[in-house]
Amino acid sequence: MHAFEERIAKVLSTDFEITPDAVDSDVTLALLKFDSLTLVELALVLEKEFGITVEEGELTDTMTIGDTAALVAAKGTAVR
Amino acid sequence: MSRAAVLTGLGAWAPPTVVTNEELASCLDTDDEWIRTRTGIRQRRVIAPGEATSDLAVEAGRRALKSAGTMTADALVLATSTPDRLCPATAPQVASRLNLGTVPAFDVAAVCSGFVYALAVGAGLIATATADSVLVIGADTFSTVLSPSDRATRAVFGDGAGAVVLRAGSPEQDGALLDLGLGSDGSRSDLIEIPGGGSRQRSTGLPTDLEGTYLTMRGQAVFAQAVHRMSESVRETGARTGWPLETVDRFVLHQANARILTATAKRLGQPVERFVTNIDQLGNTVAASIPLALADGVASGELLPGHRVVLCGFGGGLTWGSVALVWPQLNTP
């Protein structure tokens, strides 16, 4: 699993009580039960975790964990 | 010695009529769990038919004056976005009903940041020696501007009022307002608005459409903005006051939504247990939410004399602001 995906999986486990077993590159946020409110919460947590800014509507429930990691990567975050 | 505004009295008032989540569920497509999990709110208070914002403001103001051991104030600043009438301001009537005489009295409209803005105005009146004491009230009756069919806003908002008395003193005293930081971003004024009934709509010459007089709120964007702005504002006020956030005993933020409070605490890296909350009982009472939370914090023993406290508001406009103070010993009625 990509390093960003692993860190995202950790965030999902710590902040959203989603077991790492349920997280895979191809799993969509919708499948992980993210709704409009939890998507905003996820965006805020990702901002803090990766030191990035996530714009309104940038994170959607049709995105997979792989897409989410790609979004983080596109913002120029360095792998820690 | 420089002159500071010192908080010397606190009062709050919420109307007695309770609306529970179950009652809302009986007439809207919602249920207790839906509301609780999304907002943390179990019930809210609403005014009776024919009542108005001034009625709540007078009750809260009376209690704050009593708490401060006085019957007078040199000025009254009322934070509200739901005035009794569009014109004139509500504050003069409140001052009159509190027998404050012909003191200066005016409204401040900064929606949910209104109380912090009004504190800044009150502190300014004291700093310039325009007044030696100021009654600052936050009062709103958002139940009067909600669409009966909008579950999102009806679940969130409640009515209430809270007030404090500021007196001229020194910055060394407990209760002195140590740092006041305010901000706004009018480019996002559409996030929380009541579009109808104002000059923009009336100048069209078309009759006011009832739907246009109801509050609209873009929940997702408001959530993110609230967390961003409040966490930045609290951080800046902590830094300017010279208080590392770990040394702040209590954060009293605008009671918008329990999940906004949790997300802000997380962003600030501070335990949510140090954030005073009463949103489950009162919902979002707009300009009244911070003084109502202060009153509940004192009543529950969460907020104690000597505590380092940071207050922070965020609301429509967009507007935001924070203030730092050491909580004083008060007589609360």
mmCIF file of all heavy atoms in Angstrom, chain B residues 62-100:
data_model
loop_
_atom_site.group_PDB
_atom_site.id
_atom_site.type_symbol
_atom_site.label_atom_id
_atom_site.label_comp_id
_atom_site.label_asym_id
_atom_site.label_seq_id
_atom_site.Cartn_x
_atom_site.Cartn_y
_atom_site.Cartn_z
ATOM 1 N N ARG B 62 -31.210 42.143 33.146
ATOM 2 C CA ARG B 62 -31.561 42.338 34.552
ATOM 3 C C ARG B 62 -30.707 41.434 35.445
ATOM 4 O O ARG B 62 -30.185 41.854 36.469
ATOM 5 C CB ARG B 62 -33.059 41.988 34.746
ATOM 6 C CG ARG B 62 -33.680 42.603 35.997
ATOM 7 C CD ARG B 62 -35.084 42.077 36.263
ATOM 8 N NE ARG B 62 -36.006 42.052 35.139
ATOM 9 C CZ ARG B 62 -36.696 43.110 34.695
ATOM 10 N NH1 ARG B 62 -36.555 44.284 35.280
ATOM 11 N NH2 ARG B 62 -37.535 42.987 33.679
ATOM 12 N N ARG B 63 -30.556 40.206 35.022
ATOM 13 C CA ARG B 63 -29.768 39.248 35.806
ATOM 14 C C ARG B 63 -28.285 39.648 35.846
ATOM 15 O O ARG B 63 -27.622 39.496 36.866
ATOM 16 C CB ARG B 63 -29.915 37.846 35.220
ATOM 17 C CG ARG B 63 -31.239 37.205 35.590
ATOM 18 C CD ARG B 63 -31.521 35.965 34.740
ATOM 19 N NE ARG B 63 -32.605 35.170 35.287
ATOM 20 C CZ ARG B 63 -33.890 35.507 35.226
ATOM 21 N NH1 ARG B 63 -34.243 36.643 34.638
ATOM 22 N NH2 ARG B 63 -34.825 34.741 35.751
ATOM 23 N N ALA B 64 -27.775 40.147 34.733
ATOM 24 C CA ALA B 64 -26.354 40.544 34.698
ATOM 25 C C ALA B 64 -26.117 41.743 35.622
ATOM 26 O O ALA B 64 -25.116 41.787 36.342
ATOM 27 C CB ALA B 64 -25.932 40.875 33.271
ATOM 28 N N LEU B 65 -27.042 42.699 35.595
ATOM 29 C CA LEU B 65 -26.903 43.876 36.466
ATOM 30 C C LEU B 65 -26.949 43.442 37.931
ATOM 31 O O LEU B 65 -26.151 43.892 38.752
ATOM 32 C CB LEU B 65 -28.015 44.898 36.173
ATOM 33 C CG LEU B 65 -27.916 45.616 34.822
ATOM 34 C CD1 LEU B 65 -29.219 46.369 34.524
ATOM 35 C CD2 LEU B 65 -26.741 46.587 34.795
ATOM 36 N N LYS B 66 -27.867 42.528 38.230
ATOM 37 C CA LYS B 66 -27.987 42.043 39.613
ATOM 38 C C LYS B 66 -26.692 41.329 40.030
ATOM 39 O O LYS B 66 -26.186 41.523 41.128
ATOM 40 C CB LYS B 66 -29.187 41.094 39.721
ATOM 41 C CG LYS B 66 -29.536 40.720 41.144
ATOM 42 C CD LYS B 66 -30.781 39.861 41.199
ATOM 43 C CE LYS B 66 -30.973 39.347 42.622
ATOM 44 N NZ LYS B 66 -31.881 38.214 42.676
ATOM 45 N N SER B 67 -26.167 40.525 39.124
ATOM 46 C CA SER B 67 -24.916 39.809 39.392
ATOM 47 C C SER B 67 -23.775 40.791 39.664
ATOM 48 O O SER B 67 -22.913 40.545 40.509
ATOM 49 C CB SER B 67 -24.591 38.908 38.194
ATOM 50 O OG SER B 67 -23.238 38.593 38.128
ATOM 51 N N ALA B 68 -23.795 41.930 38.961
ATOM 52 C CA ALA B 68 -22.743 42.942 39.143
ATOM 53 C C ALA B 68 -23.030 43.834 40.347
ATOM 54 O O ALA B 68 -22.218 44.711 40.669
ATOM 55 C CB ALA B 68 -22.623 43.787 37.881
ATOM 56 N N GLY B 69 -24.175 43.618 40.977
ATOM 57 C CA GLY B 69 -24.522 44.412 42.163
ATOM 58 C C GLY B 69 -24.829 45.856 41.845
ATOM 59 O O GLY B 69 -24.500 46.756 42.616
ATOM 60 N N THR B 70 -25.469 46.071 40.704
ATOM 61 C CA THR B 70 -25.777 47.441 40.283
ATOM 62 C C THR B 70 -27.149 47.495 39.619
ATOM 63 O O THR B 70 -27.695 46.463 39.224
ATOM 64 C CB THR B 70 -24.691 47.968 39.313
ATOM 65 O OG1 THR B 70 -24.978 49.319 38.988
ATOM 66 C CG2 THR B 70 -24.632 47.157 38.039
ATOM 67 N N MET B 71 -27.667 48.697 39.503
ATOM 68 C CA MET B 71 -28.928 48.897 38.775
ATOM 69 C C MET B 71 -28.690 49.758 37.539
ATOM 70 O O MET B 71 -29.625 50.053 36.809
ATOM 71 C CB MET B 71 -29.942 49.645 39.669
ATOM 72 C CG MET B 71 -30.182 49.019 41.028
ATOM 73 S SD MET B 71 -31.263 47.613 40.881
ATOM 74 C CE MET B 71 -32.842 48.459 40.744
ATOM 75 N N THR B 72 -27.453 50.177 37.363
ATOM 76 C CA THR B 72 -27.192 51.149 36.293
ATOM 77 C C THR B 72 -26.065 50.688 35.369
ATOM 78 O O THR B 72 -25.266 49.820 35.717
ATOM 79 C CB THR B 72 -26.776 52.516 36.880
ATOM 80 O OG1 THR B 72 -25.527 52.340 37.571
ATOM 81 C CG2 THR B 72 -27.816 53.060 37.850
ATOM 82 N N ALA B 73 -26.019 51.293 34.207
ATOM 83 C CA ALA B 73 -24.896 51.131 33.268
ATOM 84 C C ALA B 73 -24.841 52.410 32.447
ATOM 85 O O ALA B 73 -25.879 53.055 32.233
ATOM 86 C CB ALA B 73 -25.110 49.921 32.373
ATOM 87 N N ASP B 74 -23.644 52.759 32.008
ATOM 88 C CA ASP B 74 -23.499 54.006 31.241
ATOM 89 C C ASP B 74 -23.829 53.825 29.762
ATOM 90 O O ASP B 74 -23.955 54.815 29.029
ATOM 91 C CB ASP B 74 -22.050 54.523 31.341
ATOM 92 C CG ASP B 74 -21.675 54.881 32.761
ATOM 93 O OD1 ASP B 74 -22.591 55.135 33.570
ATOM 94 O OD2 ASP B 74 -20.463 54.918 33.064
ATOM 95 N N ALA B 75 -23.904 52.583 29.311
ATOM 96 C CA ALA B 75 -24.218 52.312 27.899
ATOM 97 C C ALA B 75 -24.707 50.879 27.770
ATOM 98 O O ALA B 75 -24.427 50.040 28.644
ATOM 99 C CB ALA B 75 -22.977 52.514 27.034
ATOM 100 N N LEU B 76 -25.451 50.626 26.699
ATOM 101 C CA LEU B 76 -25.939 49.264 26.442
ATOM 102 C C LEU B 76 -25.643 48.896 24.995
ATOM 103 O O LEU B 76 -25.975 49.657 24.075
ATOM 104 C CB LEU B 76 -27.445 49.184 26.719
ATOM 105 C CG LEU B 76 -28.062 47.773 26.696
ATOM 106 C CD1 LEU B 76 -29.289 47.717 27.591
ATOM 107 C CD2 LEU B 76 -28.433 47.292 25.305
ATOM 108 N N VAL B 77 -24.980 47.779 24.824
ATOM 109 C CA VAL B 77 -24.706 47.266 23.475
ATOM 110 C C VAL B 77 -25.416 45.927 23.352
ATOM 111 O O VAL B 77 -25.186 45.026 24.161
ATOM 112 C CB VAL B 77 -23.191 47.075 23.221
ATOM 113 C CG1 VAL B 77 -22.946 46.647 21.779
ATOM 114 C CG2 VAL B 77 -22.420 48.350 23.529
ATOM 115 N N LEU B 78 -26.283 45.818 22.360
ATOM 116 C CA LEU B 78 -27.053 44.581 22.157
ATOM 117 C C LEU B 78 -26.625 43.916 20.859
ATOM 118 O O LEU B 78 -26.779 44.489 19.776
ATOM 119 C CB LEU B 78 -28.559 44.883 22.110
ATOM 120 C CG LEU B 78 -29.466 43.716 21.717
ATOM 121 C CD1 LEU B 78 -29.426 42.597 22.765
ATOM 122 C CD2 LEU B 78 -30.905 44.182 21.518
ATOM 123 N N ALA B 79 -26.101 42.711 20.965
ATOM 124 C CA ALA B 79 -25.771 41.930 19.774
ATOM 125 C C ALA B 79 -27.004 41.131 19.393
ATOM 126 O O ALA B 79 -27.479 40.313 20.191
ATOM 127 C CB ALA B 79 -24.611 40.987 20.074
ATOM 128 N N THR B 80 -27.513 41.394 18.209
ATOM 129 C CA THR B 80 -28.650 40.601 17.715
ATOM 130 C C THR B 80 -28.746 40.697 16.202
ATOM 131 O O THR B 80 -28.370 41.718 15.617
ATOM 132 C CB THR B 80 -29.992 41.053 18.350
ATOM 133 O OG1 THR B 80 -31.020 40.135 17.954
ATOM 134 C CG2 THR B 80 -30.410 42.461 17.925
ATOM 135 N N SER B 81 -29.237 39.633 15.597
ATOM 136 C CA SER B 81 -29.546 39.652 14.162
ATOM 137 C C SER B 81 -31.030 39.417 13.954
ATOM 138 O O SER B 81 -31.485 39.275 12.824
ATOM 139 C CB SER B 81 -28.752 38.573 13.429
ATOM 140 O OG SER B 81 -27.390 38.781 13.635
ATOM 141 N N THR B 82 -31.762 39.352 15.072
ATOM 142 C CA THR B 82 -33.223 39.212 14.988
ATOM 143 C C THR B 82 -33.848 40.313 15.853
ATOM 144 O O THR B 82 -34.439 40.039 16.901
ATOM 145 C CB THR B 82 -33.679 37.820 15.473
ATOM 146 O OG1 THR B 82 -32.936 37.483 16.670
ATOM 147 C CG2 THR B 82 -33.460 36.755 14.431
ATOM 148 N N PRO B 83 -33.676 41.582 15.408
ATOM 149 C CA PRO B 83 -34.248 42.687 16.179
ATOM 150 C C PRO B 83 -35.773 42.588 16.210
ATOM 151 O O PRO B 83 -36.369 41.924 15.361
ATOM 152 C CB PRO B 83 -33.783 43.918 15.388
ATOM 153 C CG PRO B 83 -33.522 43.421 14.003
ATOM 154 C CD PRO B 83 -33.053 42.009 14.156
ATOM 155 N N ASP B 84 -36.376 43.258 17.189
ATOM 156 C CA ASP B 84 -37.849 43.242 17.287
ATOM 157 C C ASP B 84 -38.476 43.748 15.992
ATOM 158 O O ASP B 84 -39.504 43.252 15.538
ATOM 159 C CB ASP B 84 -38.312 44.132 18.439
ATOM 160 C CG ASP B 84 -37.989 43.539 19.806
ATOM 161 O OD1 ASP B 84 -37.188 42.585 19.870
ATOM 162 O OD2 ASP B 84 -38.545 44.036 20.805
ATOM 163 N N ARG B 85 -37.877 44.799 15.426
ATOM 164 C CA ARG B 85 -38.325 45.387 14.155
ATOM 165 C C ARG B 85 -37.081 45.702 13.337
ATOM 166 O O ARG B 85 -36.007 45.891 13.896
ATOM 167 C CB ARG B 85 -39.079 46.708 14.428
ATOM 168 C CG ARG B 85 -40.394 46.501 15.152
ATOM 169 C CD ARG B 85 -40.932 47.835 15.668
ATOM 170 N NE ARG B 85 -40.251 48.241 16.889
ATOM 171 C CZ ARG B 85 -40.502 49.377 17.550
ATOM 172 N NH1 ARG B 85 -41.403 50.218 17.091
ATOM 173 N NH2 ARG B 85 -39.860 49.671 18.659
ATOM 174 N N LEU B 86 -37.245 45.808 12.000
ATOM 175 C CA LEU B 86 -36.078 46.138 11.160
ATOM 176 C C LEU B 86 -35.517 47.493 11.544
ATOM 177 O O LEU B 86 -34.328 47.754 11.433
ATOM 178 C CB LEU B 86 -36.473 46.154 9.683
ATOM 179 C CG LEU B 86 -36.446 44.807 8.958
ATOM 180 C CD1 LEU B 86 -36.860 44.989 7.503
ATOM 181 C CD2 LEU B 86 -35.048 44.188 9.020
ATOM 182 N N CYS B 87 -36.378 48.384 11.961
ATOM 183 C CA CYS B 87 -35.979 49.722 12.388
ATOM 184 C C CYS B 87 -36.968 50.174 13.448
ATOM 185 O O CYS B 87 -38.158 49.938 13.275
ATOM 186 C CB CYS B 87 -36.016 50.658 11.172
ATOM 187 S SG CYS B 87 -35.704 52.380 11.538
ATOM 188 N N PRO B 88 -36.588 50.752 14.538
ATOM 189 C CA PRO B 88 -35.234 51.111 14.942
ATOM 190 C C PRO B 88 -34.520 49.940 15.596
ATOM 191 O O PRO B 88 -35.058 48.828 15.672
ATOM 192 C CB PRO B 88 -35.488 52.215 15.970
ATOM 193 C CG PRO B 88 -36.752 51.764 16.657
ATOM 194 C CD PRO B 88 -37.585 51.157 15.553
ATOM 195 N N ALA B 89 -33.310 50.213 16.112
ATOM 196 C CA ALA B 89 -32.558 49.202 16.853
ATOM 197 C C ALA B 89 -33.351 48.792 18.092
ATOM 198 O O ALA B 89 -34.187 49.549 18.594
ATOM 199 C CB ALA B 89 -31.197 49.761 17.261
ATOM 200 N N THR B 90 -33.081 47.600 18.577
ATOM 201 C CA THR B 90 -33.797 47.058 19.739
ATOM 202 C C THR B 90 -33.200 47.549 21.063
ATOM 203 O O THR B 90 -33.907 47.649 22.064
ATOM 204 C CB THR B 90 -33.773 45.511 19.651
ATOM 205 O OG1 THR B 90 -34.359 45.135 18.403
ATOM 206 C CG2 THR B 90 -34.570 44.860 20.772
ATOM 207 N N ALA B 91 -31.929 47.867 21.066
ATOM 208 C CA ALA B 91 -31.219 48.204 22.311
ATOM 209 C C ALA B 91 -31.858 49.356 23.106
ATOM 210 O O ALA B 91 -31.964 49.254 24.339
ATOM 211 C CB ALA B 91 -29.751 48.514 22.008
ATOM 212 N N PRO B 92 -32.278 50.455 22.458
ATOM 213 C CA PRO B 92 -32.868 51.535 23.259
ATOM 214 C C PRO B 92 -34.084 51.096 24.079
ATOM 215 O O PRO B 92 -34.238 51.503 25.230
ATOM 216 C CB PRO B 92 -33.244 52.591 22.208
ATOM 217 C CG PRO B 92 -32.263 52.370 21.105
ATOM 218 C CD PRO B 92 -32.103 50.873 21.044
ATOM 219 N N GLN B 93 -34.943 50.242 23.489
ATOM 220 C CA GLN B 93 -36.104 49.746 24.249
ATOM 221 C C GLN B 93 -35.655 48.922 25.445
ATOM 222 O O GLN B 93 -36.251 48.968 26.506
ATOM 223 C CB GLN B 93 -36.943 48.793 23.402
ATOM 224 C CG GLN B 93 -37.575 49.325 22.172
ATOM 225 C CD GLN B 93 -38.106 48.135 21.380
ATOM 226 O OE1 GLN B 93 -39.011 47.450 21.837
ATOM 227 N NE2 GLN B 93 -37.524 47.878 20.224
ATOM 228 N N VAL B 94 -34.617 48.124 25.230
ATOM 229 C CA VAL B 94 -34.107 47.276 26.317
ATOM 230 C C VAL B 94 -33.568 48.166 27.437
ATOM 231 O O VAL B 94 -33.870 47.957 28.616
ATOM 232 C CB VAL B 94 -33.020 46.309 25.794
ATOM 233 C CG1 VAL B 94 -32.408 45.506 26.936
ATOM 234 C CG2 VAL B 94 -33.600 45.373 24.736
ATOM 235 N N ALA B 95 -32.819 49.198 27.056
ATOM 236 C CA ALA B 95 -32.267 50.128 28.053
ATOM 237 C C ALA B 95 -33.397 50.806 28.818
ATOM 238 O O ALA B 95 -33.354 50.940 30.049
ATOM 239 C CB ALA B 95 -31.393 51.169 27.363
ATOM 240 N N SER B 96 -34.414 51.196 28.094
ATOM 241 C CA SER B 96 -35.546 51.870 28.715
ATOM 242 C C SER B 96 -36.266 50.946 29.696
ATOM 243 O O SER B 96 -36.574 51.329 30.827
ATOM 244 C CB SER B 96 -36.480 52.346 27.598
ATOM 245 O OG SER B 96 -37.627 52.900 28.137
ATOM 246 N N ARG B 97 -36.506 49.712 29.268
ATOM 247 C CA ARG B 97 -37.214 48.760 30.144
ATOM 248 C C ARG B 97 -36.373 48.360 31.354
ATOM 249 O O ARG B 97 -36.911 47.914 32.364
ATOM 250 C CB ARG B 97 -37.627 47.534 29.324
ATOM 251 C CG ARG B 97 -38.799 47.849 28.394
ATOM 252 C CD ARG B 97 -39.072 46.727 27.427
ATOM 253 N NE ARG B 97 -39.426 45.476 28.091
ATOM 254 C CZ ARG B 97 -39.604 44.331 27.444
ATOM 255 N NH1 ARG B 97 -39.439 44.289 26.127
ATOM 256 N NH2 ARG B 97 -39.924 43.239 28.098
ATOM 257 N N LEU B 98 -35.060 48.511 31.251
ATOM 258 C CA LEU B 98 -34.185 48.215 32.398
ATOM 259 C C LEU B 98 -33.960 49.461 33.261
ATOM 260 O O LEU B 98 -33.134 49.451 34.179
ATOM 261 C CB LEU B 98 -32.835 47.674 31.909
ATOM 262 C CG LEU B 98 -32.855 46.248 31.359
ATOM 263 C CD1 LEU B 98 -31.536 45.905 30.681
ATOM 264 C CD2 LEU B 98 -33.154 45.234 32.467
ATOM 265 N N ASN B 99 -34.712 50.520 32.944
ATOM 266 C CA ASN B 99 -34.603 51.790 33.697
ATOM 267 C C ASN B 99 -33.183 52.346 33.707
ATOM 268 O O ASN B 99 -32.712 52.848 34.719
ATOM 269 C CB ASN B 99 -35.099 51.611 35.138
ATOM 270 C CG ASN B 99 -36.561 51.211 35.176
ATOM 271 O OD1 ASN B 99 -37.373 51.806 34.457
ATOM 272 N ND2 ASN B 99 -36.889 50.201 35.965
ATOM 273 N N LEU B 100 -32.511 52.221 32.566
ATOM 274 C CA LEU B 100 -31.143 52.754 32.480
ATOM 275 C C LEU B 100 -31.144 54.227 32.064
ATOM 276 O O LEU B 100 -30.078 54.821 31.887
ATOM 277 C CB LEU B 100 -30.297 51.933 31.494
ATOM 278 C CG LEU B 100 -30.063 50.465 31.865
ATOM 279 C CD1 LEU B 100 -29.183 49.782 30.815
ATOM 280 C CD2 LEU B 100 -29.423 50.332 33.244
#
